[in-house]
Amino acid sequence: MIIRLDMQSDLPIYTQLMNQIIEGIASGELKPGEDLPSVRSLASDIGVNLHTINKAYTLLKQEGFIQIHRQKGVVVNPEGMPGITPEYEQKQAEQLRPMIAEAICRSVDKEHLLQIVESLYDDILHGEKENA
Amino acid sequence: MIIRLDMQSDLPIYTQLMNQIIEGIASGELKPGEDLPSVRSLASDIGVNLHTINKAYTLLKQEGFIQIHRQKGVVVNPEGMPGITPEYEQKQAEQLRPMIAEAICRSVDKEHLLQIVESLYDDILHGEKENA
Amino acid sequence: MIIRLDMQSDLPIYTQLMNQIIEGIASGELKPGEDLPSVRSLASDIGVNLHTINKAYTLLKQEGFIQIHRQKGVVVNPEGMPGITPEYEQKQAEQLRPMIAEAICRSVDKEHLLQIVESLYDDILHGEKENA
Amino acid sequence: MIIRLDMQSDLPIYTQLMNQIIEGIASGELKPGEDLPSVRSLASDIGVNLHTINKAYTLLKQEGFIQIHRQKGVVVNPEGMPGITPEYEQKQAEQLRPMIAEAICRSVDKEHLLQIVESLYDDILHGEKENA
DNA sequence: GTGGTCTAGACCACT
DNA sequence: GTGGTCTAGACCACG
């Protein structure tokens, strides 16, 4: 899987990493049980600090997306992904709300917005990247 | 207009402020041309430093949501809101994408997701708050 | 002469006033010896504070563009405009320099820049306004 | 690169800083990709508060002259400078216009003015300072 | 009284 | 050690 980082984004690198791995899982490119690169190899591959990779993996583990085994390495959670928890629903709404509010201000009508979301949903499912 | 800040949030205060003002505009609670509180009065009202308010106002001005008149104060942009620019569309997609990817991982199907977005859209339009 | 003020400009109103009067003189619309409106009438005409008009007039007088007579009112300096003083040349260079530097950064080549200046020079001479 | 600030100037310090950096880029003294001093080191070097430097850097970033990398520091935009946008052209004309009007009033003829601009253009390109 | 600017000093996230 | 954020308190220009 190819990781693309934007070093001048305002998003922390570990967040970009998490997003890309989650998107890889969403698209099916990474399947449950599949190995992820070790902290060390990934760090050297993409040229970032070990701590950064570690932080991303640790957070992904906390949220249930991956498992970290001391010796065996890192795998996409073979027991499947976390479900729809109340905490998740709240976080999702908190994130979505300001974006939707801005869309309303900018006169994006509801149908248009839903169409944008739907189209992104399909893109991700089919593994289409932002730059594609 | 009532401002609610979460001092524990990982979102900077000035960002929370921007979001609330944008949502106020989206809901129609704040209308184009309407006065916003002065930097100092808002700062003392919600108990934060005036520089924090200033930063939020300055950014909102840069994005075209409000106007700042040197000695008269701050108003919601009477010339209407900024439209749908290519930069906005790109920013929107960048923000939406990781949220949708996570939704896919958590088995939120497309219809459900669209329904969530639609419901938030309506809530904001009708001025319903998160805690309501 | 029509005065157009932009209340949301970052330029102080008195500066905008000075600029417009100077441009009026440059275009020939205001001729040496010609009367300017009194502080009071101009203030009420364009709806700004007396102090603001006063400040603009006082500064214009200090630079030699106009004369203020206690009873007779304000006139464009009948003895002609101030000339090219060393102070003026220095001020001019200080103002021009950062604008030219930015133009260079943005790849405005010398010919293009000179053409812009020349075209503005002609516009002003012929009294063509910004919005025309 | 040597920064010279005039604490008596009516120009804000952060503006003077922006101007000097832009001129440094224009003259070729600062090249795309080159590091700029960190906020803190520059602040202590020239004896101003770090927030003042921060404001200058943030604005230069917004205009596309520099990039700010979260933990690595600040560099001249390696992707090159911003181009000639309509907003830039408008801003440029607004700034140039009153200066040209004053020049006309003071009987600076067109050829002389163009010569002044051309000479400043060349000075900046060759890195000649105001006081040199 | 308004926003604009600057200072001084602090804590935090990130790498 | 870097920039990001926030606070507290001050002076100034403007109208």
Side-chain angles (χ1 to χ4, degrees):
Chain A
M1 176 179 179
I2 300 164
I3 302 284
R4 282 200 255 91
L5 296 179
D6 178 357
M7 300 310 279
Q8 61 177 306
S9 163
D10 54 343
L11 288 175
I13 293 176
Y14 76 90
T15 304
Q16 294 183 49
L17 251 158
M18 290 174 66
N19 287 343
Q20 300 230 359
I21 291 172
I22 290 174
E23 187 170 332
I25 298 173
S27 72
E29 193 179 350
L30 298 172
K31 297 188 196 323
E34 186 168 340
D35 282 346
L36 288 171
S38 74
V39 172
R40 286 197 144 64
S41 67
L42 185 51
S44 78
D45 273 9
I46 60 183
V48 304
N49 196 296
L50 286 177
H51 300 335
T52 307
I53 310 288
N54 225 320
K55 181 159 190 176
Y57 276 177
T58 304
L59 288 166
L60 284 169
K61 175 187 151 202
Q62 276 174 17
E63 297 188 20
F65 292 102
I66 65 175
Q67 287 181 352
I68 304 179
H69 298 95
R70 232 175 300 270
Q71 311 299 351
K72 295 162 51 187
V74 182
V75 297
V76 179
N77 194 335
E79 299 166 6
M81 292 296 106
I84 306 175
T85 64
E87 298 80 35
Y88 167 66
E89 285 182 316
Q90 191 189 341
K91 188 194 73 171
Q92 187 192 44
E94 279 170 8
Q95 289 180 334
L96 237 22
R97 181 171 270 266
M99 297 172 47
I100 297 174
E102 176 164 1
I104 293 173
C105 282
R106 289 181 185 267
S107 312
V108 179
D109 65 32
K110 202 199 302 185
E111 286 67 32
H112 186 189
L113 179 61
L114 292 177
Q115 186 186 329
I116 291 168
V117 171
E118 186 168 2
S119 139
L120 281 167
Y121 193 104
D122 292 336
D123 281 358
I124 294 169
L125 262 191
H126 299 105
E128 306 202 7
K129 297 297 207 274
E130 300 162 50
N131 303 351
Chain B
M1 177 177 178
I2 300 164
I3 302 283
R4 279 191 271 89
L5 295 181
D6 177 0
M7 305 309 269
Q8 317 307 328
S9 166
D10 55 340
L11 287 174
I13 295 175
Y14 74 89
T15 302
Q16 295 182 49
L17 250 163
M18 290 175 69
N19 286 343
Q20 299 226 3
I21 291 171
I22 290 174
E23 187 170 332
I25 297 173
S27 74
E29 192 179 354
L30 298 172
K31 297 189 197 323
E34 187 169 340
D35 282 351
L36 290 171
S38 78
V39 171
R40 281 174 172 75
S41 67
L42 184 52
S44 79
D45 274 8
I46 62 183
V48 303
N49 191 278
L50 93 181
H51 290 117
T52 306
I53 309 288
N54 214 328
K55 181 160 191 176
Y57 276 178
T58 302
L59 289 168
L60 285 170
K61 170 189 153 200
Q62 277 173 11
E63 298 187 18
F65 292 102
I66 66 175
Q67 287 182 352
I68 301 180
H69 296 82
R70 308 266 259 157
Q71 320 312 337
K72 292 166 52 185
V74 181
V75 298
V76 178
N77 195 335
E79 297 167 7
M81 292 297 105
I84 306 175
T85 63
E87 300 81 41
Y88 167 63
E89 286 181 316
Q90 192 189 340
K91 188 195 72 171
Q92 188 192 45
E94 279 169 8
Q95 289 179 333
L96 238 21
R97 180 171 272 266
M99 296 171 49
I100 298 174
E102 177 164 1
I104 294 174
C105 282
R106 288 180 185 270
S107 313
V108 180
D109 66 33
K110 202 200 300 185
E111 285 66 33
H112 186 190
L113 179 61
L114 293 177
Q115 186 186 331
I116 291 169
V117 171
E118 188 168 0
S119 145
L120 281 167
Y121 193 104
D122 293 335
D123 281 359
I124 294 169
L125 261 190
H126 298 104
E128 307 200 9
K129 299 299 207 273
E130 300 161 49
N131 303 349
Chain C
M1 176 177 178
I2 300 165
I3 302 285
R4 281 199 255 89
L5 296 179
D6 178 358
M7 301 309 280
Q8 60 176 308
S9 163
D10 54 344
L11 287 174
I13 293 176
Y14 77 88
T15 303
Q16 295 184 49
L17 251 159
M18 290 174 67
N19 287 342
Q20 300 229 0
I21 292 171
I22 290 174
E23 187 169 332
I25 299 172
S27 73
E29 194 180 351
L30 298 172
K31 296 188 198 322
E34 187 169 340
D35 283 347
L36 289 171
S38 75
V39 172
R40 287 196 143 66
S41 66
L42 184 51
S44 79
D45 273 8
I46 60 183
V48 303
N49 197 295
L50 286 177
H51 301 334
T52 306
I53 310 288
N54 226 320
K55 180 159 191 176
Y57 276 177
T58 304
L59 288 167
L60 285 170
K61 176 188 149 201
Q62 277 175 15
E63 298 187 20
F65 291 102
I66 65 175
Q67 288 182 352
I68 304 178
H69 298 95
R70 232 174 300 271
Q71 310 300 350
K72 295 161 52 186
V74 181
V75 297
V76 178
N77 194 335
E79 299 165 6
M81 292 296 105
I84 306 174
T85 64
E87 298 80 37
Y88 168 64
E89 286 182 315
Q90 191 189 341
K91 188 194 74 173
Q92 189 191 44
E94 278 170 8
Q95 289 180 334
L96 239 19
R97 182 172 269 266
M99 296 170 49
I100 298 175
E102 176 164 1
I104 293 174
C105 282
R106 288 181 185 268
S107 313
V108 179
D109 65 32
K110 203 199 300 184
E111 287 65 34
H112 187 190
L113 180 60
L114 293 176
Q115 185 186 329
I116 291 167
V117 172
E118 187 169 1
S119 141
L120 281 167
Y121 193 104
D122 293 336
D123 281 359
I124 294 169
L125 262 190
H126 299 104
E128 307 202 6
K129 298 296 206 282
E130 301 161 51
N131 303 351
Chain D
M1 177 177 178
I2 299 164
I3 303 283
R4 278 192 271 89
L5 296 180
D6 177 0
M7 306 308 270
Q8 315 309 326
S9 166
D10 54 340
L11 288 174
I13 295 176
Y14 74 88
T15 303
Q16 295 182 49
L17 250 163
M18 290 174 69
N19 287 342
Q20 300 226 2
I21 291 172
I22 289 174
E23 188 171 331
I25 297 172
S27 75
E29 193 179 352
L30 297 173
K31 298 190 196 323
E34 187 169 340
D35 282 350
L36 289 171
S38 79
V39 171
R40 282 174 171 73
S41 67
L42 184 52
S44 79
D45 275 6
I46 61 184
V48 303
N49 191 278
L50 91 180
H51 289 117
T52 307
I53 309 288
N54 215 328
K55 182 160 188 174
Y57 276 179
T58 302
L59 289 168
L60 285 170
K61 171 189 152 199
Q62 278 174 8
E63 298 187 18
F65 292 102
I66 66 174
Q67 288 182 351
I68 300 180
H69 295 82
R70 308 266 258 158
Q71 322 310 338
K72 292 167 51 186
V74 181
V75 297
V76 179
N77 194 334
E79 297 168 6
M81 292 296 105
I84 306 175
T85 63
E87 301 82 40
Y88 168 65
E89 287 181 315
Q90 192 189 340
K91 188 194 73 172
Q92 189 193 44
E94 279 169 7
Q95 289 179 334
L96 238 21
R97 180 172 271 265
M99 297 171 48
I100 297 175
E102 177 164 2
I104 293 174
C105 283
R106 288 181 185 267
S107 312
V108 179
D109 66 32
K110 202 199 300 183
E111 286 66 32
H112 186 190
L113 179 61
L114 293 177
Q115 186 187 331
I116 291 168
V117 171
E118 188 169 359
S119 144
L120 281 167
Y121 193 104
D122 293 335
D123 281 359
I124 294 169
L125 262 190
H126 299 104
E128 307 200 6
K129 299 297 207 273
E130 299 162 51
N131 303 349

